[in-house]
Amino acid sequence: PTVAEVHVTGGPLDQTLLRDATSHLLGHLYSRTDASAVAHSGLTDMYRNHGYLRADFADPEAAFLESQPGQLDRAHVSVTLPVNPGPQFHWHGASWTGNRVFPARELSALMGLEEGDVASAQRIADGWEAIRQLYGSKGYIMTRLRTEEHLDDSARLVTYQVDVNEGQQYRMGELKVVGVDARTENRVRAAWHLPKGAIFDALYQKRFLRRDLTAAFGDNVLQVRQISISRVPDTQTLLVEVRISFE
């Protein structure tokens, strides 16, 4: 049978959002596996992004529609996705261990969440990424965060214990430019403003493509050539080799 209707029951989220997240099931043959995948991936993420960190979906249910009162339409089904959202959690901060380069207050500020904010899983994930980028901008490209979530159901608060493994600080190594002639290679090298031996900035390659390379070659350089940048860290020398490839 074909899916004609999809309903999410048991949860407080706006039905418009839920309809958008389930609309691709409509008009397709019913598959319990597909319906369950929608519930346990996209919909669960949606609930978590609204602070429902314990949201859990039961197995999908399907029922034939009625073509007219008392007569089933066995060609079309209505699918129900039951959710137990649990409490909506709010941010109650993070405690940090292992951080030596940056103080805890700076790491907490980068999370972008204030006390009592809805604990959006996406905002929390963005905070972890912002911290990794901060470390990467100072040469700590191997920094790892081990996060432990603590949910207080009665107070509806979430806290995190974060162990920071900062790793070693890396510096800029060799710059290799491939796929262009010698004259163009020299121009690319001149446009690269992270000198050998400088503290490696993992964020610089984006600025190089967006700012320095276009300043040297014009705005259409990225449209004319396919450019990729890769980096190879050497754990012995603590140098990063950067390779710019033109295709």
Side-chain angles (χ1 to χ4, degrees):
T2 300
V3 177
E5 299 176 354
V6 181
H7 303 280
V8 178
T9 60
L13 292 190
D14 185 274
Q15 288 297 316
T16 301
L17 291 175
L18 300 174
R19 281 195 297 271
D20 290 343
T22 59
S23 60
H24 62 281
L25 291 174
L26 297 173
H28 294 277
L29 292 177
Y30 172 68
S31 163
R32 185 175 184 179
T33 300
D34 290 348
S36 184
V38 168
H40 290 288
S41 58
L43 286 177
T44 297
D45 289 345
M46 183 176 292
Y47 272 88
R48 287 180 54 81
N49 290 341
H50 285 79
Y52 297 95
L53 302 179
R54 288 199 191 277
D56 182 50
F57 278 82
D59 290 337
E61 303 166 359
F64 290 115
L65 294 176
E66 288 189 348
S67 57
Q68 54 185 330
Q71 183 173 343
L72 295 180
D73 175 5
R74 296 188 179 275
H76 299 92
V77 294
S78 173
V79 177
T80 300
L81 304 173
V83 60
N84 177 10
Q88 185 182 47
F89 288 92
H90 296 80
W91 181 253
H92 192 46
S95 55
W96 309 86
T97 58
N99 55 302
R100 303 180 309 278
V101 179
F102 300 106
R105 65 178 179 278
E106 186 171 355
L107 300 181
S108 292
L110 270 180
M111 292 302 297
L113 289 155
E114 301 289 342
E115 175 73 23
D117 282 353
V118 171
S120 162
Q122 184 59 61
R123 290 184 65 189
I124 294 170
D126 290 344
W128 306 142
E129 180 59 24
I131 289 169
R132 283 188 285 266
Q133 289 189 8
L134 174 66
Y135 273 97
S137 71
K138 301 301 182 183
Y140 294 90
I141 61 175
M142 297 296 188
T143 296
R144 300 291 182 267
L145 305 179
R146 185 173 65 84
T147 63
E148 186 175 330
E149 184 180 77
H150 297 280
L151 299 174
D152 184 335
D153 291 81
S154 59
R156 301 191 172 198
L157 297 174
V158 59
T159 58
Y160 283 86
Q161 175 65 47
V162 187
D163 180 49
V164 184
N165 183 350
E166 294 177 328
Q168 299 294 315
Q169 188 180 52
Y170 283 73
R171 292 180 177 270
M172 179 67 192
E174 296 294 333
L175 174 65
K176 295 186 176 181
V177 182
V178 298
V180 293
D181 58 50
R183 179 174 177 273
T184 303
E185 177 183 343
N186 290 334
R187 292 178 65 191
V188 173
R189 289 183 176 278
W192 181 267
H193 295 158
L194 191 62
K196 185 176 181 179
I199 292 173
F200 189 76
D201 180 356
L203 304 183
Y204 174 66
Q205 67 184 58
K206 291 184 178 179
R207 297 198 301 274
F208 171 73
L209 290 173
R210 184 174 60 249
R211 183 190 64 192
D212 298 340
L213 190 64
T214 55
F217 289 89
D219 292 337
N220 66 341
V221 62
L222 296 178
Q223 300 172 3
V224 175
R225 302 293 297 271
Q226 191 74 24
I227 304 171
S228 63
I229 301 179
S230 59
R231 63 192 192 202
V232 181
D234 187 320
T235 57
Q236 299 300 315
T237 63
L238 300 182
L239 295 175
V240 181
E241 176 187 291
V242 175
R243 181 185 180 96
I244 304 175
S245 301
F246 290 76
E247 300 174 4

